[in-house]
Amino acid sequence: MHHNRPETRIHIPQSPTRPGDKPDFSHIKIPPVEAGRRPAIDTPAHEMDDLAFGLVRVLDDQHQACGEWKPHIAAQKLRDGLRYMLQVRLFDDHMFRLQRQGSLTFYLKCAGEEAVAVAAAQALRSGDMLFPTYRQQGLLVARGLPMVDMMCECLSNTHDMNKGRQLPVLYSWAEGGFFTISGNLGTQVPQAVGWAMAAAYKNNDDIAATWIGDGSTAEGDFHYALTFASVYKAPVIINVVNNQWAISTFQAVAGGENSTFASRGHGFGIPGLRVDGNDFLAVYAATQWAAERARAQAGPTVIELYTYRAEGHSTSDDPSKYRPSHDYDAWPLGDPVERLKQHLIGLGEWSEAQHESLIEKIRSDVSAAYAEAEQYGTLDKGPRLSLSTMFEDVYKDMPDHLQKQLKQAQEG
Amino acid sequence: MHHNRPETRIHIPQSPTRPGDKPDFSHIKIPPVEAGRRPAIDTPAHEMDDLAFGLVRVLDDQHQACGEWKPHIAAQKLRDGLRYMLQVRLFDDHMFRLQRQGSLTFYLKCAGEEAVAVAAAQALRSGDMLFPTYRQQGLLVARGLPMVDMMCECLSNTHDMNKGRQLPVLYSWAEGGFFTISGNLGTQVPQAVGWAMAAAYKNNDDIAATWIGDGSTAEGDFHYALTFASVYKAPVIINVVNNQWAISTFQAVAGGENSTFASRGHGFGIPGLRVDGNDFLAVYAATQWAAERARAQAGPTVIELYTYRAEGHSTSDDPSKYRPSHDYDAWPLGDPVERLKQHLIGLGEWSEAQHESLIEKIRSDVSAAYAEAEQYGTLDKGPRLSLSTMFEDVYKDMPDHLQKQLKQAQEG
Amino acid sequence: MAAMSMVQALNNAMDLALEKSPRTLIMGEDVGFFGGVFRCTEGLQQKYGAHRVIDTPIAEGGIVGVAIGMGVNGLRPIVEIQFADYFYPAMDQIVSELARLRYRSGGEFWAPLTIRMPCGGGIYGGQTHSQSPEALFAHVCGLKTVIPSTPYDAKGLLLASIDDDNPLIFLEPKRIYNGVFDGDRDKAATGWDQHPAGEVPENYYTLPIGKANIVRQGNDTTLITYGTMVHVAAAAVEKAGLDVEIIDIRTIVPLDIDTLTGSVQKTGRCVILHEATRTSGFGAEISAQIQEQCFWHLQAPIERVTGWDTPYPHLFEWDYFPGQSRVIQALQRVLEAG
Amino acid sequence: MAAMSMVQALNNAMDLALEKSPRTLIMGEDVGFFGGVFRCTEGLQQKYGAHRVIDTPIAEGGIVGVAIGMGVNGLRPIVEIQFADYFYPAMDQIVSELARLRYRSGGEFWAPLTIRMPCGGGIYGGQTHSQSPEALFAHVCGLKTVIPSTPYDAKGLLLASIDDDNPLIFLEPKRIYNGVFDGDRDKAATGWDQHPAGEVPENYYTLPIGKANIVRQGNDTTLITYGTMVHVAAAAVEKAGLDVEIIDIRTIVPLDIDTLTGSVQKTGRCVILHEATRTSGFGAEISAQIQEQCFWHLQAPIERVTGWDTPYPHLFEWDYFPGQSRVIQALQRVLEAG
Ligand SMILES: Cc1ncc(C[n+]2csc(CCOP(=O)(O)OP(=O)(O)O)c2C)c(N)n1
Ligand SMILES: Cc1ncc(C[n+]2csc(CCOP(=O)(O)OP(=O)(O)O)c2C)c(N)n1
Ligand SMILES: [Mg+2]
Ligand SMILES: [Mg+2]
């Protein structure tokens, strides 16, 4: 105790464990799969408030699908989902290593959170618009963006969809209905609501889905989104990815101590589903339910994806400074890839051998993609975008003052 | 129907009545006084969620105090409350007329909402800090600011606490624990939370109370306030004055259609009380309960004061353009002054005669105060602050560039 | 042609824009049923429907964020911020999102918003109903910022703004919404029907964004200004009987610098006039550019006549407002210098 | 005296400030247990407690709003905004509240906040980790804005800022947090221990806010700059072998204009250098003031060397960054002019 530390009665939330401690998730209550009820989509919002405090689950401890939320989904689609998740994970691993070797300025993985994006993408229609944040690379993979295109963005090279302007991982893919990722947290959420309102305005039944981290829900934009979504009954799904951490701060600092993130919409009459985010089938089922609600003009839904950030925040982070090491191994909801794999094996639709060879295949695809991507240039080697791209797209047409500046820049 | 009006499925909320319609408040459900339960202040927040959808009431239709919320309050205190409310109302009337006569640039009344401020002020301690918006002049009156001081602010004269810098009604009173009113909506709410956190930090048991309009809850600041209040269990009361209107927009446009404003904190584990804002005793009791909670370190409370803006938004407004005239006469929760008066008469603590003579007395006090205020100057007549006040208080000490500008301004 | 106030001209422009395309809509606080606190959207909801002239919650950041999403989905929202003083909660959506979308996405995404906001003082609005924030927008690349000074310009520039695929801030000097104001607060207000630019064609027309307007030809000094101050400038020059060239820049960014330098090269002298606070006001940028490009022509220091570096005070409104006498003094100093 | 990086000097300053008064506290995203993403608050929570170095939710507007309330209640919060690029959500609380409180309340209320934020590029941070928003703050009267260029200055200015009863924006050029950077990205970084101003007294000291620092005496041209660019300027002048006076303004507002004009009156020439985008950057204000006050001494147009009017691009970081060669060219143009 320092002598300048006064007596105080201010409450400061704390992470239950810190470096050196044994990981401890005993505070997390996991209800049985059967406890989850799946109400009709037109149920009045306040009659579903309990769902925000439960946990939508489909896979039980033996990896079997059961309960009311069990979705109808073909084995092939599940195998696709598994493949996408694996691809995301191996892609992440590869790119992370490349950053460590100095080939990339920055990288950010979604390890442990693959299902959150992949299952959602598979439950939505291709015309539905996605407003992600930076940890949903699974959406791109599931919607079929070639890995080489993702890599080109990370390299800011001549094939970069962003023309060298953004940090690695801040993808944009108009054709795939994937909105340009912002470096500023939370901004995409009211934008998604606006996109959804425009769809309704135009009288079509496309919907918008957006993702935001647990930490970022504290931004005003989240409130704007809830307000407008509620007032105009926008056909939108607001996904809160609660991976328990925001860089170094535990989710209690974001307000996770006194209520769930799924319940954040209750004050606006927006129902919330709290979902096991590492249960592929649960994410799929919850997304499908919310998408049906939205399409049926029954209003927006908040989905809290309860998951865990298995690794550091990004390549700039060192989680050993603020949380126990190997904590992911103790995470009670397991790993999404492993769980879906076991489920498929249990169904007789998959095998260890197939799994191994799939991993091999993806690994070589990733390497091949990177070899190709490098040919389009890297930050400091090979082909390079023209300097004029620095001045283009600030405006639709380059105004005089930027033309003059471009000329000056070209002159050196 | 205009030919450019496309088929649309966007939901746009509407006011149930518009100019020309008969006022209709049949959508408002008023539960009986006895239905209100008053839980212990340390009840877990989510076990009180029902309170945000009920209505805390004390005065029944015969103006008698009953039910669990009935507060212990001496007759003298009630008479004081009645006097303050009357003073606010007559002050408002006088100032409004003066604006119409051209003596003031602007004015804004709180007609119909007097109890919201006066009863709250009486339920709080003098060390508690108030962060109001512009329609709680009752706080000043109840805490004893002389009317002449309020008038001097409205006149921007030599005795103006704001030194001529603010619009009329944007009062400030440090000594009275009344924070400077902002022209920018919503900003005071996180400030109140911060003030409360500082009280806790300093280990004293003063609390903060803040007021925000139904319309203004849509601002991000409201969200910040809920978030920080929840995370740090700040000793604060967040009052939402739901007077059904935000200038011309009905409360549904602020998101009042799908849930109550009292429930806005549920997603953060902050309990909400929905209170009959025109029932002086109910406002008093609810404030007392929330203040006890805060002081006992049991956390923040949201109180929705359900009331009606009896007149226009301000002197710049013309409500006949957007709502039925005489709608206040149909407001089902009556008038706060009239109801408290009847209650006191029923108790044998007041009489029509006393009431009449009190009105007389206040009227002459108001006139006398204004006569005095005018002696300290008006915007264009009489004594005037020195020009240097325009440049003072931008910084604590006037920097060189402002000294130069002051000199230029003085030279004309 | 019809006599229109600036409010009417703006209303007329929005009417034509809504008529022209069902993709265009209006949103903001009190803009719908009520028609706006300054009446700029009066009657439009009644004519086009509640979904095309949308009353929104009081959340400027939300309004802009939502409008961006609409813009990305093919609509063209016209957003009203009730007073320029209240755009700050929307700053992040404007700066980090709206202005950057096209750039950061390699040209894939953009949102063609027009954000209207009444600005400026002179209505006893105090410090939160009087601000002129144009310099803040000027520093944000990716935005265009426009400010008209007459009903004729207001309509033509607003229609051009709505048509523009870039995001646009459209500042409306509220002091001249309903009549010409020349800075003399003792003079009875004159209606726009007395002013040539109060004659407004009823049909659809646009004025080019990025083009300044030489309001008055002159030889001895160049007086550069915009918004309400155009009329203060004109009256001051008239009163002082000086041979001054007055230029209304009309667009803050992109600035029509060639017209400005052309004039200063002719006159050799320059005064810049605006209502916003002085330090880092847009006058600084104009001054810097003219100095850079006309250095060898300048016969006197460029002067700035501006609001003081204080909030806009209620009581001292007319001491804050840069009125005719301050303009005349500056012109005389500049003329006598050298 | 000890060798300190800028991060260490800032940490040391905050340590002393927390030590000095229990009313002082630190709040921001990741500042507590972790010690900040740039490590500026490392160890302070462990030393002073979780209530004095507070991890906050990710809500810049909330952080500032709450800190204002604390300030009003007698505390002195030091707020960290994780990157200057993320201050926009707090713009309304900063402009409409923090900067105006004292004024609007007739001096009754005020909040002595110091808001720290890392600014500037050169770390491949892309457009949302590289911005220099000082001009936006400069236009907001009521705020002071400070930006140090060395560990010694950083400590002295931060302690003075925390002591100041005015609200203060404290910009920290992140490119020089951990070593001197002179703009030559091919040169190995040099630690602050190699630099004289990396020697920092361990005791409490303050440097005056509003005082510029003549970093290098010279006669032929005045080069005005701040932050990281001070070192780029020094290296450029060294390389070009010119007789240039380099001034580090250290405070944006209030600007020490007398020191600047004194120098320009001596040299007759002036170049202004900053990393922020050009249009309405703070260079415009400096240029305008110098032109106003030194017109008759100027022998050449004042030049501005700045970032371009584009977002800070990831790929073209070093084409955007105003490096030594652009500085040298400008100096030569100015020297040869006239
Ligand atoms: C407006 C804004 N403030 C701060 C940051 C810095 N920042 C980047 S990521 C991050 C943590 C976000 O946590 P969370 O929302 O939980 O998402 P996660 O990283 O866990 O997926 C922070 C504070 C930012 N990018 N934008
Ligand atoms: C940030 C901001 N946006 C808009 C306004 C303009 N404005 C002033 S009062 C008002 C309506 C507020 O309604 P409400 O919060 O319900 O309070 P009430 O007037 O009903 O008491 C509006 C939109 C403002 N003052 N500040
Ligand atoms: Mg997180
Ligand atoms: Mg209201």
Side-chain angles (χ1 to χ4, degrees):
Chain A
M1 276 291 163
H2 191 269
H3 67 276
N4 253 347
R5 188 180 294 193
E7 288 302 311
T8 188
R9 50 163 80 194
I10 192 171
H11 170 79
I12 307 282
Q14 297 292 345
S15 166
T17 54
R18 286 297 191 185
D21 296 340
K22 219 165 95 66
D24 177 8
F25 294 108
S26 57
H27 57 286
I28 296 176
K29 305 277 163 281
I30 302 170
V33 177
E34 304 74 43
R37 70 178 186 103
R38 184 182 191 278
I41 57 164
D42 57 355
T43 309
H46 282 306
E47 291 172 21
M48 304 190 278
D49 283 353
D50 56 308
L51 295 177
F53 300 96
L55 198 66
V56 172
R57 298 179 66 202
V58 171
L59 292 175
D60 67 12
D61 295 350
Q62 286 70 48
H63 309 295
Q64 295 204 312
C66 41
E68 289 187 26
W69 283 96
K70 179 177 167 177
H72 295 282
I73 181 167
Q76 183 51 44
K77 201 162 184 179
L78 288 178
R79 275 192 299 266
D80 289 345
L82 182 64
R83 179 162 50 85
Y84 297 145
M85 290 202 291
L86 265 175
Q87 183 174 320
V88 169
R89 185 164 293 183
L90 297 172
F91 180 91
D92 273 359
D93 284 344
H94 195 81
M95 299 299 275
F96 192 90
R97 267 198 314 277
L98 285 169
Q99 197 279 342
R100 285 291 181 250
Q101 291 160 16
S103 303
L104 297 176
T105 54
F106 175 82
Y107 195 72
L108 183 147
K109 302 170 92 167
C110 66
E113 302 174 37
E114 292 87 351
V116 160
V118 170
Q122 287 187 291
L124 294 168
R125 299 196 321 206
S126 66
D128 296 336
M129 184 75 188
L130 315 176
F131 288 82
T133 175
Y134 48 69
R135 221 181 283 280
Q136 287 80 46
Q137 44 267 61
L139 297 171
L140 292 171
V141 169
R143 283 205 166 177
L145 184 68
M147 285 191 282
V148 61
D149 290 3
M150 295 171 67
M151 288 162 167
C152 289
E153 195 285 328
C154 294
L155 290 166
S156 287
N157 70 15
T158 55
H159 280 215
D160 173 9
M161 76 252 305
N162 292 333
K163 300 193 185 156
R165 293 171 189 147
Q166 286 265 58
L167 267 193
V169 318
L170 298 182
Y171 309 104
S172 174
W173 188 28
E175 206 194 318
F178 183 102
F179 190 65
T180 160
I181 301 173
S182 179
N184 299 65
L185 296 170
T187 48
Q188 72 280 9
V189 192
Q191 293 165 358
V193 172
W195 195 98
M197 286 171 66
Y201 176 99
K202 296 191 284 183
N203 202 26
N204 73 46
D205 69 350
D206 293 331
I207 70 168
T210 181
W211 287 259
I212 182 172
D214 50 322
S216 307
T217 59
E219 292 286 2
D221 278 318
F222 186 65
H223 181 70
Y224 301 140
L226 294 177
T227 305
F228 282 72
S230 164
V231 169
Y232 304 104
K233 299 199 204 306
V236 64
I237 306 174
I238 298 175
N239 294 290
V240 178
V241 184
N242 178 3
N243 62 5
Q244 315 293 321
W245 292 92
I247 308 186
S248 74
T249 58
F250 186 62
Q251 49 105 351
V253 175
E257 207 169 40
N258 304 316
S259 197
T260 64
F261 294 96
S263 73
R264 287 288 196 276
H266 284 179
F268 302 88
I270 302 178
L273 301 178
R274 193 155 159 279
V275 178
D276 176 351
N278 290 9
D279 177 341
F280 185 94
L281 290 159
V283 176
Y284 186 92
T287 307
Q288 210 171 40
W289 184 86
E292 267 176 49
R293 274 195 92 232
R295 248 184 272 285
Q297 298 175 252
T301 306
V302 171
I303 298 180
E304 174 180 352
L305 288 316
Y306 204 72
T307 180
Y308 202 75
R309 200 192 72 206
E311 305 200 14
H313 172 74
S314 72
T315 48
S316 312
D317 185 35
D318 176 5
S320 75
K321 283 222 154 59
Y322 53 80
R323 69 183 201 187
S325 48
H326 303 298
D327 47 354
Y328 186 51
D329 301 340
W331 178 245
L333 294 170
D335 180 82
V337 177
E338 185 60 21
R339 285 171 72 190
L340 182 56
K341 173 186 159 195
Q342 294 303 340
H343 173 63
L344 274 164
I345 290 176
L347 289 178
E349 296 282 356
W350 195 242
S351 70
E352 290 286 357
Q354 280 175 296
H355 199 77
E356 281 316 304
S357 74
L358 177 59
I359 287 178
E360 279 316 296
K361 167 84 171 68
I362 294 174
R363 283 224 171 96
S364 82
D365 287 352
V366 171
S367 298
Y370 193 73
E372 181 185 345
E374 270 187 314
Q375 291 179 12
Y376 306 131
T378 70
L379 252 201
D380 39 29
K381 278 197 290 280
R384 195 176 171 80
L385 287 167
S386 140
L387 185 61
S388 65
T389 56
M390 172 154 67
F391 296 90
E392 287 157 9
D393 295 329
V394 180
Y395 296 91
K396 190 180 183 198
D397 303 305
M398 203 184 295
D400 286 353
H401 66 289
L402 282 178
Q403 299 206 12
K404 278 183 211 151
Q405 292 184 15
L406 166 57
K407 238 177 110 202
Q408 288 171 36
Q410 280 165 338
E411 286 161 5
Chain B
M1 276 293 162
H2 191 271
H3 67 277
N4 252 348
R5 187 180 294 192
E7 288 302 310
T8 189
R9 50 163 80 192
I10 192 171
H11 170 80
I12 307 283
Q14 297 293 345
S15 166
T17 54
R18 287 298 191 182
D21 296 340
K22 220 167 94 76
D24 177 7
F25 295 108
S26 58
H27 57 284
I28 296 176
K29 305 279 162 283
I30 302 170
V33 177
E34 304 75 43
R37 68 178 186 104
R38 185 181 191 277
I41 56 163
D42 56 357
T43 309
H46 282 306
E47 291 172 21
M48 304 190 278
D49 283 353
D50 56 307
L51 295 176
F53 301 96
L55 197 66
V56 172
R57 299 179 64 202
V58 172
L59 292 176
D60 68 11
D61 296 350
Q62 285 72 46
H63 309 295
Q64 294 204 313
C66 40
E68 289 187 27
W69 285 95
K70 179 178 168 178
H72 296 281
I73 180 167
Q76 183 51 44
K77 200 162 185 180
L78 289 178
R79 275 192 301 266
D80 288 345
L82 183 65
R83 179 163 50 86
Y84 298 145
M85 291 201 290
L86 264 175
Q87 184 174 321
V88 169
R89 184 164 294 184
L90 297 173
F91 180 90
D92 274 359
D93 284 344
H94 195 82
M95 300 299 274
F96 193 91
R97 267 199 313 277
L98 286 170
Q99 196 279 342
R100 285 289 181 253
Q101 292 161 14
S103 304
L104 297 176
T105 54
F106 174 83
Y107 195 71
L108 181 147
K109 303 170 92 166
C110 66
E113 303 174 36
E114 292 87 351
V116 160
V118 169
Q122 287 186 290
L124 294 168
R125 298 194 323 205
S126 66
D128 297 336
M129 184 74 189
L130 316 177
F131 288 80
T133 175
Y134 47 69
R135 221 180 284 280
Q136 286 81 48
Q137 44 268 61
L139 297 171
L140 292 170
V141 170
R143 283 204 167 176
L145 184 69
M147 284 190 282
V148 61
D149 291 4
M150 295 172 66
M151 288 162 166
C152 289
E153 196 285 328
C154 295
L155 290 167
S156 288
N157 69 17
T158 55
H159 279 217
D160 173 8
M161 74 247 314
N162 293 332
K163 301 192 185 156
R165 293 171 188 147
Q166 286 266 58
L167 269 192
V169 318
L170 299 182
Y171 308 104
S172 173
W173 188 28
E175 207 194 317
F178 182 101
F179 190 65
T180 160
I181 301 173
S182 179
N184 299 64
L185 297 170
T187 48
Q188 72 281 8
V189 192
Q191 292 164 359
V193 172
W195 194 98
M197 286 170 66
Y201 176 100
K202 295 191 283 184
N203 202 24
N204 74 45
D205 69 350
D206 292 332
I207 70 167
T210 181
W211 287 260
I212 182 172
D214 51 322
S216 307
T217 59
E219 291 287 2
D221 278 317
F222 185 65
H223 181 70
Y224 301 140
L226 294 177
T227 304
F228 281 74
S230 164
V231 169
Y232 304 104
K233 299 200 203 306
V236 65
I237 306 175
I238 299 175
N239 294 289
V240 178
V241 185
N242 179 3
N243 63 4
Q244 315 293 321
W245 292 91
I247 309 185
S248 74
T249 58
F250 186 63
Q251 48 106 354
V253 175
E257 207 169 39
N258 304 315
S259 197
T260 65
F261 294 96
S263 74
R264 286 289 196 275
H266 283 180
F268 302 88
I270 302 177
L273 301 179
R274 193 154 159 280
V275 178
D276 177 351
N278 290 8
D279 176 341
F280 185 94
L281 290 160
V283 176
Y284 185 92
T287 306
Q288 210 172 39
W289 183 86
E292 267 175 51
R293 274 194 91 232
R295 247 183 273 286
Q297 298 177 251
T301 305
V302 171
I303 298 180
E304 173 179 352
L305 288 316
Y306 204 72
T307 181
Y308 203 75
R309 201 191 72 205
E311 305 200 14
H313 172 74
S314 73
T315 49
S316 312
D317 186 36
D318 177 4
S320 75
K321 283 222 154 55
Y322 53 80
R323 69 183 202 187
S325 47
H326 303 298
D327 47 355
Y328 186 53
D329 300 340
W331 178 244
L333 294 171
D335 181 82
V337 177
E338 185 61 22
R339 285 171 71 190
L340 182 57
K341 172 186 159 196
Q342 294 304 340
H343 173 64
L344 274 164
I345 291 176
L347 288 178
E349 297 282 355
W350 195 243
S351 70
E352 290 286 357
Q354 280 174 297
H355 200 77
E356 280 316 302
S357 74
L358 178 58
I359 288 178
E360 278 317 293
K361 165 85 170 67
I362 294 173
R363 282 225 171 96
S364 82
D365 288 352
V366 172
S367 299
Y370 193 74
E372 182 184 346
E374 269 188 313
Q375 291 178 13
Y376 306 131
T378 69
L379 253 199
D380 38 29
K381 279 196 290 279
R384 193 175 172 80
L385 288 166
S386 138
L387 186 61
S388 65
T389 55
M390 171 153 66
F391 296 90
E392 286 157 10
D393 294 328
V394 180
Y395 297 91
K396 189 179 182 197
D397 303 305
M398 203 184 297
D400 286 353
H401 67 288
L402 282 178
Q403 298 206 14
K404 279 184 210 151
Q405 292 183 16
L406 165 57
K407 238 178 108 199
Q408 288 172 34
Q410 281 165 337
E411 285 160 6
Chain C
M1 297 285 261
M4 291 189 199
S5 71
M6 191 181 283
V7 166
Q8 290 164 331
L10 292 164
N11 183 283
N12 178 235
M14 287 187 273
D15 191 350
L16 294 174
L18 291 180
E19 175 76 35
K20 187 179 160 202
S21 164
R23 296 270 165 142
T24 301
L25 56 83
I26 298 173
M27 53 197 289
E29 297 159 14
D30 302 292
V31 301
F33 190 89
F34 186 48
V37 296
F38 289 104
R39 329 294 312 129
C40 291
T41 54
E42 189 162 21
L44 298 179
Q45 182 179 85
Q46 287 68 17
K47 187 163 173 189
Y48 296 99
H51 64 296
R52 297 202 58 205
V53 189
I54 305 179
D55 278 320
T56 64
I58 302 171
E60 293 75 12
I63 297 170
V64 174
V66 161
I68 289 172
M70 290 175 160
V72 167
N73 201 355
L75 305 186
R76 301 186 82 89
I78 305 168
V79 167
E80 176 175 308
I81 302 288
Q82 200 163 82
F83 285 82
D85 315 62
Y86 305 141
F87 93 88
Y88 302 107
M91 184 84 173
D92 192 41
Q93 284 284 350
I94 293 175
V95 176
S96 307
E97 300 294 312
L98 184 60
R100 306 286 195 247
L101 277 191
R102 189 190 297 272
Y103 193 77
R104 80 175 197 224
S105 69
E108 282 198 331
F109 290 104
W110 46 280
L113 267 58
T114 300
I115 305 183
R116 299 174 41 240
M117 48 183 99
C119 68
I123 61 157
Y124 274 123
Q127 53 144 356
T128 56
H129 301 85
S130 306
Q131 295 170 37
S132 296
E134 64 275 4
L136 301 178
F137 299 118
H139 193 45
V140 179
C141 59
L143 294 180
K144 296 186 180 178
T145 300
V146 170
I147 179 166
S149 67
T150 67
Y152 176 83
D153 287 7
K155 178 173 170 182
L157 288 169
L158 182 56
L159 283 170
S161 300
I162 295 167
D163 249 12
D164 198 301
D165 284 342
N166 295 290
L168 232 133
I169 307 293
F170 194 88
L171 294 164
E172 301 172 0
K174 67 176 92 71
R175 188 60 181 82
I176 52 173
Y177 260 156
N178 292 305
V180 197
F181 178 69
D182 68 4
D184 182 350
R185 68 185 173 118
D186 297 325
K187 232 175 61 185
T190 53
W192 275 113
D193 50 2
Q194 315 278 313
H195 193 283
E199 276 297 294
V200 179
E202 276 156 301
N203 59 310
Y204 187 101
Y205 67 95
T206 61
L207 291 174
I209 289 164
K211 270 266 145 251
N213 184 22
I214 301 179
V215 173
R216 183 188 192 282
Q217 307 270 354
N219 293 301
D220 292 349
T221 307
T222 302
L223 177 50
I224 300 171
T225 190
Y226 47 92
T228 301
M229 291 299 140
V230 170
H231 307 285
V232 176
V237 166
E238 185 83 5
K239 191 184 211 169
L242 299 170
D243 187 12
V244 172
E245 183 141 306
I246 301 176
I247 305 182
D248 173 3
I249 61 172
R250 291 207 292 210
T251 304
I252 305 284
V253 173
L255 182 66
D256 181 4
I257 186 68
D258 292 346
T259 297
L260 306 188
T261 53
S263 174
V264 176
Q265 279 160 11
K266 176 177 75 176
T267 62
R269 296 166 202 269
C270 179
V271 171
I272 300 160
L273 169 63
H274 64 60
E275 203 176 338
T277 50
R278 183 179 191 81
T279 298
S280 271
F282 193 62
E285 178 62 31
I286 299 177
S287 170
Q289 287 195 35
I290 289 183
Q291 185 275 149
E292 279 152 16
Q293 298 192 32
C294 306
F295 183 80
W296 306 107
H297 291 87
L298 281 173
Q299 295 163 41
I302 303 166
E303 279 223 26
R304 289 180 288 167
V305 179
T306 68
W308 308 113
D309 281 327
T310 77
Y312 220 119
H314 183 243
L315 174 64
F316 290 113
E317 168 136 317
W318 296 110
D319 300 278
Y320 181 97
F321 190 93
Q324 292 178 30
S325 72
R326 284 178 59 204
V327 177
I328 293 171
Q329 284 169 37
L331 287 169
Q332 282 165 343
R333 267 195 308 272
V334 165
L335 276 165
E336 286 157 18
Chain D
M1 296 284 261
M4 291 190 201
S5 70
M6 191 182 283
V7 166
Q8 289 165 331
L10 292 165
N11 183 283
N12 178 237
M14 288 188 272
D15 191 350
L16 294 175
L18 290 180
E19 175 75 37
K20 187 178 162 203
S21 165
R23 296 270 165 142
T24 301
L25 57 84
I26 298 172
M27 52 197 289
E29 297 158 14
D30 301 291
V31 301
F33 191 89
F34 186 48
V37 295
F38 289 104
R39 330 295 311 131
C40 291
T41 54
E42 189 162 22
L44 298 178
Q45 183 180 86
Q46 286 69 16
K47 188 164 173 188
Y48 295 99
H51 64 296
R52 296 202 58 205
V53 188
I54 305 179
D55 278 319
T56 64
I58 303 171
E60 294 75 12
I63 298 169
V64 174
V66 161
I68 290 172
M70 290 176 160
V72 167
N73 200 354
L75 305 186
R76 301 186 82 87
I78 306 168
V79 168
E80 176 176 307
I81 302 288
Q82 200 163 81
F83 285 83
D85 315 61
Y86 305 141
F87 93 87
Y88 302 108
M91 184 83 173
D92 191 42
Q93 284 285 351
I94 293 175
V95 176
S96 307
E97 300 293 312
L98 183 60
R100 307 286 194 247
L101 277 190
R102 189 189 298 272
Y103 193 77
R104 80 174 196 224
S105 69
E108 281 199 332
F109 291 103
W110 46 280
L113 267 57
T114 300
I115 305 184
R116 299 174 40 242
M117 48 182 100
C119 68
I123 60 156
Y124 274 123
Q127 54 145 355
T128 56
H129 300 86
S130 306
Q131 294 170 39
S132 296
E134 65 276 3
L136 301 178
F137 299 118
H139 193 46
V140 178
C141 59
L143 294 180
K144 296 187 180 178
T145 301
V146 170
I147 179 166
S149 66
T150 68
Y152 177 83
D153 286 7
K155 178 173 170 181
L157 289 169
L158 182 56
L159 283 170
S161 300
I162 296 168
D163 248 12
D164 199 301
D165 283 343
N166 295 290
L168 231 133
I169 307 293
F170 194 87
L171 294 163
E172 302 171 0
K174 67 175 92 70
R175 188 61 181 83
I176 53 173
Y177 260 155
N178 291 303
V180 196
F181 178 68
D182 68 4
D184 182 350
R185 69 184 170 118
D186 297 325
K187 233 176 60 186
T190 54
W192 276 112
D193 50 1
Q194 315 279 314
H195 192 282
E199 276 297 295
V200 179
E202 276 155 301
N203 60 309
Y204 186 101
Y205 67 94
T206 61
L207 290 175
I209 287 164
K211 269 267 145 250
N213 183 23
I214 302 180
V215 173
R216 183 189 192 281
Q217 306 271 353
N219 293 301
D220 293 347
T221 307
T222 302
L223 176 51
I224 301 170
T225 188
Y226 48 91
T228 301
M229 290 299 140
V230 171
H231 308 284
V232 176
V237 166
E238 185 82 6
K239 191 184 211 171
L242 299 170
D243 187 12
V244 172
E245 183 141 303
I246 302 177
I247 305 182
D248 173 2
I249 61 173
R250 292 205 293 211
T251 304
I252 305 283
V253 174
L255 182 66
D256 181 4
I257 186 68
D258 292 346
T259 297
L260 306 188
T261 53
S263 175
V264 175
Q265 279 161 12
K266 175 177 74 174
T267 62
R269 295 165 203 268
C270 179
V271 171
I272 300 160
L273 168 63
H274 64 59
E275 202 176 338
T277 50
R278 183 181 191 80
T279 298
S280 270
F282 192 62
E285 179 62 31
I286 299 177
S287 170
Q289 287 196 33
I290 290 183
Q291 185 276 149
E292 278 152 17
Q293 300 192 31
C294 305
F295 183 81
W296 305 107
H297 292 86
L298 280 173
Q299 294 163 41
I302 303 166
E303 279 223 27
R304 289 180 286 168
V305 180
T306 68
W308 308 113
D309 281 326
T310 76
Y312 219 119
H314 184 243
L315 174 63
F316 290 113
E317 167 135 316
W318 296 110
D319 300 279
Y320 181 96
F321 190 93
Q324 292 179 27
S325 72
R326 286 178 60 204
V327 176
I328 294 172
Q329 284 168 35
L331 288 170
Q332 282 165 342
R333 267 195 309 271
V334 165
L335 276 166
E336 286 156 20

